[in-house]
Amino acid sequence: MTQPQPICEVWRGPFLESLHLGHVVITDNTGQVIQAHGDRDVLIFPRSSAKMLQALPLVTSGAADAKGLSEMRLALSCASHSGAPLHVEAVDSWLSDLGLGEGDLRCGTEPSRDKELRHQMIRDSQAPCQIHHNCSGKHTGFLTLNQHLGGGSEYVDPDHPVQRACREAFEDVTGMTSPGFGIDGCSAPNFATSLQALARAMSFFATAHGRNDTQSRAAARLAAAMRAWPEHVAGKGRACTLLMRAAKEPLVVKTGAEGVFIAILPARGMGIALKASDGATRASECAIAALLVSLGVVDAAHPDVARFMTPKLHNGRGMEVGYLRPAPSLFAG
């Protein structure tokens, strides 16, 4: 099957109102495809689901150890955080330790995604800054690597040593030469790859703890950091944070814009990559939760799983009017 397949259904009353289509690939501990829905070779931008790949040179170069980065900061380097106070304070402290400031970032400005902080800033007439951007942790990781490499200030330039290192690591662990890149929402290059190659990279991370080469040791450290600091990877109420906490075994999950989601399962050596064709986050969250349930990694009845796999739909009066559910074919591996 090369056409996108159903991954998420939207029901209103007794009728199927909408249907989200997409592609799914699951790979084993050798990187081989063991389950696929849709087109395994579909070319995608991984967007933020690839942040742990972009963070690999931070560790392999020796920059992380030279700067004494904590596990929490390694998790932040892979994060799409909410810009909540704990994230803002952590990034600000990291920048300060580098002798840098908000103006050295190149991610752009974004309002905090933390509702309480965003509203408080509005009341205080305080404008958001680049530290509130969900990618500011990744960019502080870029700055840390840049100091180590001695590169220029424009570290998001595709030809900059930081981004050349990111591309080399990306192509190494995906096992595929990227056909090109697009500029992400945070101004950094995002390298295109196939969904199968992205899943293969997740299997690389899932099996990294069993190998002793430099790249594998770095991947194992980053995955362990994400598992240990799930709230720094995303934030309160977010799918990545809640699904990792709900897991019955070691699990890393990471969302990406435009309906991308990945999972790393170290106990099984498995990787998962999926893409909702219409870019809908609700569909990718539903599908990743369903796949994890089908594998027995999380329980469908867990409230932090059900809120993404089978969320209820309510109208403006609070009436329950419908629900989402995963397409039944996702459970037919």
Side-chain angles (χ1 to χ4, degrees), residues 8-56:
C8 176
E9 301 176 348
V10 185
W11 288 78
R12 187 172 296 269
F15 299 104
L16 177 64
E17 182 175 33
S18 299
L19 184 64
H20 293 284
L21 306 179
H23 310 274
V24 176
V25 176
I26 303 178
T27 48
D28 66 12
N29 60 359
T30 68
Q32 298 300 305
V33 177
I34 55 175
Q35 184 177 334
H37 304 266
D39 185 0
R40 67 183 66 187
D41 295 317
V42 63
L43 196 65
I44 68 162
F45 287 118
R47 303 295 297 273
S48 287
S49 74
K51 282 182 175 174
M52 70 289 291
L53 279 69
Q54 293 171 301
L56 280 169

Side-chain angles (χ1 to χ4, degrees), residues 27 31 52-53 56 169-170 172-175 193-208 211 219 263-264 270-273:
T27 48
M52 70 289 291
L53 279 69
L56 280 169
F170 182 88
D172 186 27
V173 299
T174 58
T193 194
S194 73
L195 195 66
Q196 178 177 188
L198 184 61
R200 185 163 54 236
M202 297 310 119
S203 287
F204 174 85
F205 273 79
T207 57
R211 298 185 298 271
I264 298 166
M270 293 168 59
I272 302 174

